[in-house]
PDB file of all heavy atoms in Angstrom:
ATOM      1  N   ILE S   1     -49.538  72.022  41.283  1.00  0.00           N
ATOM      2  CA  ILE S   1     -49.485  70.823  40.440  1.00  0.00           C
ATOM      3  C   ILE S   1     -48.052  70.672  39.950  1.00  0.00           C
ATOM      4  O   ILE S   1     -47.556  71.504  39.183  1.00  0.00           O
ATOM      5  CB  ILE S   1     -50.457  70.956  39.250  1.00  0.00           C
ATOM      6  CG1 ILE S   1     -51.884  71.183  39.783  1.00  0.00           C
ATOM      7  CG2 ILE S   1     -50.389  69.732  38.351  1.00  0.00           C
ATOM      8  CD1 ILE S   1     -52.751  71.995  38.854  1.00  0.00           C
ATOM      9  N   ARG S   2     -47.380  69.628  40.394  1.00  0.00           N
ATOM     10  CA  ARG S   2     -45.958  69.469  40.100  1.00  0.00           C
ATOM     11  C   ARG S   2     -45.744  68.380  39.056  1.00  0.00           C
ATOM     12  O   ARG S   2     -46.360  67.315  39.119  1.00  0.00           O
ATOM     13  CB  ARG S   2     -45.193  69.111  41.379  1.00  0.00           C
ATOM     14  CG  ARG S   2     -43.677  69.047  41.213  1.00  0.00           C
ATOM     15  CD  ARG S   2     -42.991  68.758  42.539  1.00  0.00           C
ATOM     16  NE  ARG S   2     -43.343  67.436  43.039  1.00  0.00           N
ATOM     17  CZ  ARG S   2     -42.704  66.309  42.675  1.00  0.00           C
ATOM     18  NH1 ARG S   2     -41.702  66.358  41.819  1.00  0.00           N
ATOM     19  NH2 ARG S   2     -43.082  65.161  43.183  1.00  0.00           N
ATOM     20  N   ILE S   3     -44.849  68.665  38.106  1.00  0.00           N
ATOM     21  CA  ILE S   3     -44.507  67.675  37.087  1.00  0.00           C
ATOM     22  C   ILE S   3     -43.619  66.609  37.716  1.00  0.00           C
ATOM     23  O   ILE S   3     -42.604  66.910  38.336  1.00  0.00           O
ATOM     24  CB  ILE S   3     -43.760  68.332  35.901  1.00  0.00           C
ATOM     25  CG1 ILE S   3     -44.539  69.532  35.352  1.00  0.00           C
ATOM     26  CG2 ILE S   3     -43.506  67.287  34.811  1.00  0.00           C
ATOM     27  CD1 ILE S   3     -45.919  69.222  34.866  1.00  0.00           C
ATOM     28  N   ARG S   4     -44.012  65.351  37.563  1.00  0.00           N
ATOM     29  CA  ARG S   4     -43.273  64.251  38.168  1.00  0.00           C
ATOM     30  C   ARG S   4     -42.133  63.784  37.258  1.00  0.00           C
ATOM     31  O   ARG S   4     -42.163  63.988  36.040  1.00  0.00           O
ATOM     32  CB  ARG S   4     -44.214  63.087  38.466  1.00  0.00           C
ATOM     33  CG  ARG S   4     -45.313  63.439  39.448  1.00  0.00           C
ATOM     34  CD  ARG S   4     -46.278  62.322  39.701  1.00  0.00           C
ATOM     35  NE  ARG S   4     -45.633  61.195  40.406  1.00  0.00           N
ATOM     36  CZ  ARG S   4     -46.317  60.225  41.000  1.00  0.00           C
ATOM     37  NH1 ARG S   4     -47.657  60.240  40.982  1.00  0.00           N
ATOM     38  NH2 ARG S   4     -45.711  59.235  41.607  1.00  0.00           N
ATOM     39  N   PRO S   5     -41.116  63.137  37.823  1.00  0.00           N
ATOM     40  CA  PRO S   5     -39.995  62.638  37.006  1.00  0.00           C
ATOM     41  C   PRO S   5     -40.433  61.499  36.092  1.00  0.00           C
ATOM     42  O   PRO S   5     -41.421  60.803  36.377  1.00  0.00           O
ATOM     43  CB  PRO S   5     -38.982  62.158  38.050  1.00  0.00           C
ATOM     44  CG  PRO S   5     -39.786  61.900  39.280  1.00  0.00           C
ATOM     45  CD  PRO S   5     -40.915  62.893  39.262  1.00  0.00           C
ATOM     46  N   ALA S   6     -39.695  61.306  35.013  1.00  0.00           N
ATOM     47  CA  ALA S   6     -40.036  60.275  34.030  1.00  0.00           C
ATOM     48  C   ALA S   6     -40.104  58.889  34.647  1.00  0.00           C
ATOM     49  O   ALA S   6     -40.864  58.032  34.184  1.00  0.00           O
ATOM     50  CB  ALA S   6     -39.027  60.301  32.882  1.00  0.00           C
ATOM     51  N   THR S   7     -39.320  58.653  35.684  1.00  0.00           N
ATOM     52  CA  THR S   7     -39.326  57.337  36.329  1.00  0.00           C
ATOM     53  C   THR S   7     -40.655  57.030  37.005  1.00  0.00           C
ATOM     54  O   THR S   7     -40.938  55.869  37.328  1.00  0.00           O
ATOM     55  CB  THR S   7     -38.195  57.255  37.371  1.00  0.00           C
ATOM     56  OG1 THR S   7     -38.270  58.400  38.245  1.00  0.00           O
ATOM     57  CG2 THR S   7     -36.826  57.236  36.695  1.00  0.00           C
ATOM     58  N   ASP S   8     -41.482  58.054  37.233  1.00  0.00           N
ATOM     59  CA  ASP S   8     -42.792  57.848  37.868  1.00  0.00           C
ATOM     60  C   ASP S   8     -43.909  57.593  36.852  1.00  0.00           C
ATOM     61  O   ASP S   8     -44.988  57.131  37.233  1.00  0.00           O
ATOM     62  CB  ASP S   8     -43.188  59.084  38.700  1.00  0.00           C
ATOM     63  CG  ASP S   8     -42.352  59.232  39.959  1.00  0.00           C
ATOM     64  OD1 ASP S   8     -41.589  58.308  40.276  1.00  0.00           O
ATOM     65  OD2 ASP S   8     -42.462  60.284  40.621  1.00  0.00           O
ATOM     66  N   TRP S   9     -43.682  57.932  35.600  1.00  0.00           N
ATOM     67  CA  TRP S   9     -44.749  57.860  34.605  1.00  0.00           C
ATOM     68  C   TRP S   9     -45.282  56.434  34.447  1.00  0.00           C
ATOM     69  O   TRP S   9     -44.541  55.453  34.610  1.00  0.00           O
ATOM     70  CB  TRP S   9     -44.258  58.340  33.245  1.00  0.00           C
ATOM     71  CG  TRP S   9     -43.777  59.759  33.219  1.00  0.00           C
ATOM     72  CD1 TRP S   9     -43.987  60.725  34.160  1.00  0.00           C
ATOM     73  CD2 TRP S   9     -42.972  60.365  32.199  1.00  0.00           C
ATOM     74  NE1 TRP S   9     -43.380  61.903  33.795  1.00  0.00           N
ATOM     75  CE2 TRP S   9     -42.748  61.715  32.596  1.00  0.00           C
ATOM     76  CE3 TRP S   9     -42.440  59.914  31.000  1.00  0.00           C
ATOM     77  CZ2 TRP S   9     -41.998  62.596  31.824  1.00  0.00           C
ATOM     78  CZ3 TRP S   9     -41.690  60.785  30.226  1.00  0.00           C
ATOM     79  CH2 TRP S   9     -41.482  62.113  30.641  1.00  0.00           C
ATOM     80  N   SER S  10     -46.553  56.326  34.081  1.00  0.00           N
ATOM     81  CA  SER S  10     -47.163  55.021  33.802  1.00  0.00           C
ATOM     82  C   SER S  10     -46.733  54.584  32.403  1.00  0.00           C
ATOM     83  O   SER S  10     -47.385  54.883  31.402  1.00  0.00           O
ATOM     84  CB  SER S  10     -48.688  55.125  33.892  1.00  0.00           C
ATOM     85  OG  SER S  10     -49.095  55.484  35.190  1.00  0.00           O
ATOM     86  N   SER S  11     -45.627  53.863  32.344  1.00  0.00           N
ATOM     87  CA  SER S  11     -44.986  53.558  31.061  1.00  0.00           C
ATOM     88  C   SER S  11     -45.854  52.743  30.120  1.00  0.00           C
ATOM     89  O   SER S  11     -45.663  52.782  28.901  1.00  0.00           O
ATOM     90  CB  SER S  11     -43.667  52.818  31.309  1.00  0.00           C
ATOM     91  OG  SER S  11     -42.777  53.611  32.045  1.00  0.00           O
ATOM     92  N   TYR S  12     -46.807  51.985  30.674  1.00  0.00           N
ATOM     93  CA  TYR S  12     -47.652  51.139  29.832  1.00  0.00           C
ATOM     94  C   TYR S  12     -48.979  51.805  29.471  1.00  0.00           C
ATOM     95  O   TYR S  12     -49.803  51.193  28.793  1.00  0.00           O
ATOM     96  CB  TYR S  12     -47.915  49.803  30.521  1.00  0.00           C
ATOM     97  CG  TYR S  12     -46.678  48.950  30.679  1.00  0.00           C
ATOM     98  CD1 TYR S  12     -45.998  48.894  31.885  1.00  0.00           C
ATOM     99  CD2 TYR S  12     -46.177  48.219  29.606  1.00  0.00           C
ATOM    100  CE1 TYR S  12     -44.854  48.133  32.032  1.00  0.00           C
ATOM    101  CE2 TYR S  12     -45.037  47.448  29.740  1.00  0.00           C
ATOM    102  CZ  TYR S  12     -44.375  47.411  30.947  1.00  0.00           C
ATOM    103  OH  TYR S  12     -43.233  46.652  31.081  1.00  0.00           O
ATOM    104  N   ASP S  13     -49.162  53.025  29.903  1.00  0.00           N
ATOM    105  CA  ASP S  13     -50.378  53.745  29.536  1.00  0.00           C
ATOM    106  C   ASP S  13     -50.316  54.075  28.042  1.00  0.00           C
ATOM    107  O   ASP S  13     -49.331  54.652  27.566  1.00  0.00           O
ATOM    108  CB  ASP S  13     -50.484  55.035  30.348  1.00  0.00           C
ATOM    109  CG  ASP S  13     -51.789  55.763  30.098  1.00  0.00           C
ATOM    110  OD1 ASP S  13     -51.915  56.393  29.016  1.00  0.00           O
ATOM    111  OD2 ASP S  13     -52.665  55.727  30.971  1.00  0.00           O
ATOM    112  N   PRO S  14     -51.352  53.723  27.262  1.00  0.00           N
ATOM    113  CA  PRO S  14     -51.310  53.954  25.814  1.00  0.00           C
ATOM    114  C   PRO S  14     -51.032  55.406  25.421  1.00  0.00           C
ATOM    115  O   PRO S  14     -50.307  55.661  24.456  1.00  0.00           O
ATOM    116  CB  PRO S  14     -52.698  53.502  25.343  1.00  0.00           C
ATOM    117  CG  PRO S  14     -53.126  52.499  26.355  1.00  0.00           C
ATOM    118  CD  PRO S  14     -52.565  52.990  27.664  1.00  0.00           C
ATOM    119  N   ALA S  15     -51.600  56.354  26.159  1.00  0.00           N
ATOM    120  CA  ALA S  15     -51.367  57.759  25.820  1.00  0.00           C
ATOM    121  C   ALA S  15     -49.913  58.147  26.066  1.00  0.00           C
ATOM    122  O   ALA S  15     -49.310  58.882  25.274  1.00  0.00           O
ATOM    123  CB  ALA S  15     -52.291  58.666  26.629  1.00  0.00           C
ATOM    124  N   VAL S  16     -49.327  57.647  27.152  1.00  0.00           N
ATOM    125  CA  VAL S  16     -47.920  57.934  27.436  1.00  0.00           C
ATOM    126  C   VAL S  16     -47.041  57.331  26.349  1.00  0.00           C
ATOM    127  O   VAL S  16     -46.093  57.971  25.867  1.00  0.00           O
ATOM    128  CB  VAL S  16     -47.519  57.401  28.826  1.00  0.00           C
ATOM    129  CG1 VAL S  16     -46.017  57.572  29.061  1.00  0.00           C
ATOM    130  CG2 VAL S  16     -48.307  58.128  29.918  1.00  0.00           C
ATOM    131  N   VAL S  17     -47.342  56.114  25.926  1.00  0.00           N
ATOM    132  CA  VAL S  17     -46.609  55.474  24.828  1.00  0.00           C
ATOM    133  C   VAL S  17     -46.712  56.335  23.570  1.00  0.00           C
ATOM    134  O   VAL S  17     -45.710  56.616  22.894  1.00  0.00           O
ATOM    135  CB  VAL S  17     -47.144  54.055  24.555  1.00  0.00           C
ATOM    136  CG1 VAL S  17     -46.516  53.478  23.289  1.00  0.00           C
ATOM    137  CG2 VAL S  17     -46.877  53.136  25.743  1.00  0.00           C
ATOM    138  N   ARG S  18     -47.934  56.777  23.253  1.00  0.00           N
ATOM    139  CA  ARG S  18     -48.153  57.577  22.044  1.00  0.00           C
ATOM    140  C   ARG S  18     -47.389  58.888  22.104  1.00  0.00           C
ATOM    141  O   ARG S  18     -46.739  59.290  21.134  1.00  0.00           O
ATOM    142  CB  ARG S  18     -49.652  57.839  21.878  1.00  0.00           C
ATOM    143  CG  ARG S  18     -50.025  58.539  20.560  1.00  0.00           C
ATOM    144  CD  ARG S  18     -51.521  58.835  20.514  1.00  0.00           C
ATOM    145  NE  ARG S  18     -52.281  57.777  21.147  1.00  0.00           N
ATOM    146  CZ  ARG S  18     -53.102  57.949  22.174  1.00  0.00           C
ATOM    147  NH1 ARG S  18     -53.274  59.158  22.707  1.00  0.00           N
ATOM    148  NH2 ARG S  18     -53.771  56.935  22.692  1.00  0.00           N
ATOM    149  N   TRP S  19     -47.447  59.559  23.247  1.00  0.00           N
ATOM    150  CA  TRP S  19     -46.771  60.844  23.375  1.00  0.00           C
ATOM    151  C   TRP S  19     -45.261  60.682  23.294  1.00  0.00           C
ATOM    152  O   TRP S  19     -44.563  61.526  22.736  1.00  0.00           O
ATOM    153  CB  TRP S  19     -47.172  61.522  24.685  1.00  0.00           C
ATOM    154  CG  TRP S  19     -48.611  61.931  24.735  1.00  0.00           C
ATOM    155  CD1 TRP S  19     -49.425  62.198  23.656  1.00  0.00           C
ATOM    156  CD2 TRP S  19     -49.431  62.100  25.895  1.00  0.00           C
ATOM    157  NE1 TRP S  19     -50.691  62.524  24.082  1.00  0.00           N
ATOM    158  CE2 TRP S  19     -50.729  62.474  25.451  1.00  0.00           C
ATOM    159  CE3 TRP S  19     -49.202  61.960  27.260  1.00  0.00           C
ATOM    160  CZ2 TRP S  19     -51.778  62.727  26.329  1.00  0.00           C
ATOM    161  CZ3 TRP S  19     -50.248  62.209  28.146  1.00  0.00           C
ATOM    162  CH2 TRP S  19     -51.517  62.593  27.685  1.00  0.00           C
ATOM    163  N   ARG S  20     -44.743  59.598  23.849  1.00  0.00           N
ATOM    164  CA  ARG S  20     -43.303  59.364  23.759  1.00  0.00           C
ATOM    165  C   ARG S  20     -42.894  59.075  22.319  1.00  0.00           C
ATOM    166  O   ARG S  20     -41.835  59.510  21.863  1.00  0.00           O
ATOM    167  CB  ARG S  20     -42.882  58.217  24.682  1.00  0.00           C
ATOM    168  CG  ARG S  20     -42.990  58.556  26.167  1.00  0.00           C
ATOM    169  CD  ARG S  20     -42.466  57.440  27.034  1.00  0.00           C
ATOM    170  NE  ARG S  20     -41.022  57.309  26.942  1.00  0.00           N
ATOM    171  CZ  ARG S  20     -40.316  56.337  27.524  1.00  0.00           C
ATOM    172  NH1 ARG S  20     -40.948  55.413  28.240  1.00  0.00           N
ATOM    173  NH2 ARG S  20     -39.009  56.286  27.396  1.00  0.00           N
ATOM    174  N   LEU S  21     -43.728  58.339  21.594  1.00  0.00           N
ATOM    175  CA  LEU S  21     -43.426  58.064  20.187  1.00  0.00           C
ATOM    176  C   LEU S  21     -43.532  59.318  19.326  1.00  0.00           C
ATOM    177  O   LEU S  21     -42.923  59.399  18.260  1.00  0.00           O
ATOM    178  CB  LEU S  21     -44.361  56.977  19.648  1.00  0.00           C
ATOM    179  CG  LEU S  21     -44.102  55.563  20.171  1.00  0.00           C
ATOM    180  CD1 LEU S  21     -45.163  54.603  19.641  1.00  0.00           C
ATOM    181  CD2 LEU S  21     -42.710  55.079  19.779  1.00  0.00           C
ATOM    182  N   ASP S  22     -44.292  60.291  19.781  1.00  0.00           N
ATOM    183  CA  ASP S  22     -44.414  61.553  19.051  1.00  0.00           C
ATOM    184  C   ASP S  22     -43.211  62.473  19.297  1.00  0.00           C
ATOM    185  O   ASP S  22     -43.032  63.463  18.583  1.00  0.00           O
ATOM    186  CB  ASP S  22     -45.686  62.305  19.478  1.00  0.00           C
ATOM    187  CG  ASP S  22     -46.955  61.672  18.919  1.00  0.00           C
ATOM    188  OD1 ASP S  22     -46.850  60.867  17.977  1.00  0.00           O
ATOM    189  OD2 ASP S  22     -48.044  61.967  19.445  1.00  0.00           O
ATOM    190  N   GLY S  23     -42.399  62.169  20.301  1.00  0.00           N
ATOM    191  CA  GLY S  23     -41.332  63.073  20.710  1.00  0.00           C
ATOM    192  C   GLY S  23     -39.999  62.793  20.042  1.00  0.00           C
ATOM    193  O   GLY S  23     -39.856  61.896  19.202  1.00  0.00           O
ATOM    194  N   GLU S  24     -38.993  63.555  20.469  1.00  0.00           N
ATOM    195  CA  GLU S  24     -37.667  63.464  19.863  1.00  0.00           C
ATOM    196  C   GLU S  24     -36.953  62.160  20.208  1.00  0.00           C
ATOM    197  O   GLU S  24     -36.028  61.752  19.497  1.00  0.00           O
ATOM    198  CB  GLU S  24     -36.813  64.654  20.308  1.00  0.00           C
ATOM    199  CG  GLU S  24     -37.310  65.992  19.776  1.00  0.00           C
ATOM    200  CD  GLU S  24     -36.424  67.141  20.194  1.00  0.00           C
ATOM    201  OE1 GLU S  24     -35.446  66.896  20.942  1.00  0.00           O
ATOM    202  OE2 GLU S  24     -36.698  68.281  19.768  1.00  0.00           O
ATOM    203  N   GLN S  25     -37.369  61.509  21.303  1.00  0.00           N
ATOM    204  CA  GLN S  25     -36.746  60.247  21.700  1.00  0.00           C
ATOM    205  C   GLN S  25     -37.487  59.042  21.119  1.00  0.00           C
ATOM    206  O   GLN S  25     -37.411  57.937  21.650  1.00  0.00           O
ATOM    207  CB  GLN S  25     -36.710  60.155  23.231  1.00  0.00           C
ATOM    208  CG  GLN S  25     -35.923  61.262  23.905  1.00  0.00           C
ATOM    209  CD  GLN S  25     -34.480  61.293  23.441  1.00  0.00           C
ATOM    210  OE1 GLN S  25     -33.815  60.264  23.383  1.00  0.00           O
ATOM    211  NE2 GLN S  25     -33.995  62.485  23.092  1.00  0.00           N
ATOM    212  N   ARG S  26     -38.183  59.276  20.011  1.00  0.00           N
ATOM    213  CA  ARG S  26     -39.011  58.231  19.402  1.00  0.00           C
ATOM    214  C   ARG S  26     -38.217  56.950  19.129  1.00  0.00           C
ATOM    215  O   ARG S  26     -38.662  55.845  19.450  1.00  0.00           O
ATOM    216  CB  ARG S  26     -39.602  58.755  18.098  1.00  0.00           C
ATOM    217  CG  ARG S  26     -40.399  57.715  17.302  1.00  0.00           C
ATOM    218  CD  ARG S  26     -40.869  58.306  15.989  1.00  0.00           C
ATOM    219  NE  ARG S  26     -41.538  59.569  16.239  1.00  0.00           N
ATOM    220  CZ  ARG S  26     -41.258  60.704  15.590  1.00  0.00           C
ATOM    221  NH1 ARG S  26     -40.331  60.717  14.655  1.00  0.00           N
ATOM    222  NH2 ARG S  26     -41.915  61.807  15.869  1.00  0.00           N
ATOM    223  N   THR S  27     -37.057  57.075  18.519  1.00  0.00           N
ATOM    224  CA  THR S  27     -36.291  55.889  18.124  1.00  0.00           C
ATOM    225  C   THR S  27     -35.907  55.046  19.334  1.00  0.00           C
ATOM    226  O   THR S  27     -36.053  53.817  19.320  1.00  0.00           O
ATOM    227  CB  THR S  27     -35.028  56.300  17.357  1.00  0.00           C
ATOM    228  OG1 THR S  27     -35.413  57.020  16.170  1.00  0.00           O
ATOM    229  CG2 THR S  27     -34.226  55.081  16.944  1.00  0.00           C
ATOM    230  N   ALA S  28     -35.430  55.706  20.392  1.00  0.00           N
ATOM    231  CA  ALA S  28     -35.033  54.969  21.587  1.00  0.00           C
ATOM    232  C   ALA S  28     -36.234  54.285  22.226  1.00  0.00           C
ATOM    233  O   ALA S  28     -36.145  53.129  22.670  1.00  0.00           O
ATOM    234  CB  ALA S  28     -34.370  55.920  22.584  1.00  0.00           C
ATOM    235  N   HIS S  29     -37.375  54.985  22.261  1.00  0.00           N
ATOM    236  CA  HIS S  29     -38.563  54.387  22.884  1.00  0.00           C
ATOM    237  C   HIS S  29     -39.103  53.244  22.031  1.00  0.00           C
ATOM    238  O   HIS S  29     -39.534  52.212  22.563  1.00  0.00           O
ATOM    239  CB  HIS S  29     -39.640  55.447  23.081  1.00  0.00           C
ATOM    240  CG  HIS S  29     -40.802  54.969  23.903  1.00  0.00           C
ATOM    241  ND1 HIS S  29     -40.653  54.240  25.055  1.00  0.00           N
ATOM    242  CD2 HIS S  29     -42.148  55.091  23.724  1.00  0.00           C
ATOM    243  CE1 HIS S  29     -41.834  53.939  25.557  1.00  0.00           C
ATOM    244  NE2 HIS S  29     -42.747  54.432  24.761  1.00  0.00           N
ATOM    245  N   LEU S  30     -39.053  53.404  20.725  1.00  0.00           N
ATOM    246  CA  LEU S  30     -39.513  52.345  19.837  1.00  0.00           C
ATOM    247  C   LEU S  30     -38.652  51.100  20.024  1.00  0.00           C
ATOM    248  O   LEU S  30     -39.155  49.973  20.010  1.00  0.00           O
ATOM    249  CB  LEU S  30     -39.462  52.821  18.383  1.00  0.00           C
ATOM    250  CG  LEU S  30     -40.113  51.925  17.336  1.00  0.00           C
ATOM    251  CD1 LEU S  30     -41.579  51.704  17.658  1.00  0.00           C
ATOM    252  CD2 LEU S  30     -39.978  52.547  15.952  1.00  0.00           C
ATOM    253  N   ARG S  31     -37.371  51.295  20.248  1.00  0.00           N
ATOM    254  CA  ARG S  31     -36.476  50.165  20.492  1.00  0.00           C
ATOM    255  C   ARG S  31     -36.854  49.459  21.800  1.00  0.00           C
ATOM    256  O   ARG S  31     -36.909  48.225  21.856  1.00  0.00           O
ATOM    257  CB  ARG S  31     -35.029  50.639  20.542  1.00  0.00           C
ATOM    258  CG  ARG S  31     -33.997  49.496  20.576  1.00  0.00           C
ATOM    259  CD  ARG S  31     -32.575  50.041  20.513  1.00  0.00           C
ATOM    260  NE  ARG S  31     -32.378  50.811  19.293  1.00  0.00           N
ATOM    261  CZ  ARG S  31     -32.101  52.121  19.271  1.00  0.00           C
ATOM    262  NH1 ARG S  31     -32.005  52.809  20.396  1.00  0.00           N
ATOM    263  NH2 ARG S  31     -31.944  52.753  18.131  1.00  0.00           N
ATOM    264  N   GLU S  32     -37.148  50.244  22.839  1.00  0.00           N
ATOM    265  CA  GLU S  32     -37.576  49.659  24.114  1.00  0.00           C
ATOM    266  C   GLU S  32     -38.850  48.837  23.940  1.00  0.00           C
ATOM    267  O   GLU S  32     -38.975  47.722  24.461  1.00  0.00           O
ATOM    268  CB  GLU S  32     -37.834  50.757  25.141  1.00  0.00           C
ATOM    269  CG  GLU S  32     -36.613  51.488  25.635  1.00  0.00           C
ATOM    270  CD  GLU S  32     -36.969  52.599  26.601  1.00  0.00           C
ATOM    271  OE1 GLU S  32     -38.135  53.057  26.602  1.00  0.00           O
ATOM    272  OE2 GLU S  32     -36.083  53.020  27.358  1.00  0.00           O
ATOM    273  N   LEU S  33     -39.795  49.410  23.216  1.00  0.00           N
ATOM    274  CA  LEU S  33     -41.069  48.727  23.006  1.00  0.00           C
ATOM    275  C   LEU S  33     -40.893  47.467  22.172  1.00  0.00           C
ATOM    276  O   LEU S  33     -41.556  46.448  22.404  1.00  0.00           O
ATOM    277  CB  LEU S  33     -42.056  49.685  22.326  1.00  0.00           C
ATOM    278  CG  LEU S  33     -42.532  50.847  23.191  1.00  0.00           C
ATOM    279  CD1 LEU S  33     -43.187  51.913  22.335  1.00  0.00           C
ATOM    280  CD2 LEU S  33     -43.500  50.365  24.265  1.00  0.00           C
ATOM    281  N   SER S  34     -39.995  47.518  21.205  1.00  0.00           N
ATOM    282  CA  SER S  34     -39.725  46.340  20.371  1.00  0.00           C
ATOM    283  C   SER S  34     -39.076  45.238  21.201  1.00  0.00           C
ATOM    284  O   SER S  34     -39.347  44.046  21.001  1.00  0.00           O
ATOM    285  CB  SER S  34     -38.826  46.721  19.194  1.00  0.00           C
ATOM    286  OG  SER S  34     -39.468  47.673  18.360  1.00  0.00           O
TER     287      SER S  34
END
């Protein structure tokens, strides 16, 4: 089971959005979403 690169992630998946907002890059991701 291989971890895929971030460019492959389902960016609009609610769980992926939530996990990204929980992480250290929260501010940058929140800006993207805004």
Side-chain angles (χ1 to χ4, degrees):
I1 302 150
R2 185 177 65 85
I3 308 301
R4 298 177 67 165
T7 51
D8 289 351
W9 299 345
S10 298
S11 299
Y12 294 100
D13 185 284
V16 174
V17 172
R18 186 183 324 122
W19 293 335
R20 291 184 70 186
L21 289 176
D22 286 344
E24 293 182 357
Q25 300 301 313
R26 175 184 309 130
T27 299
H29 189 44
L30 189 58
R31 189 176 301 117
E32 290 177 340
L33 291 165
S34 298

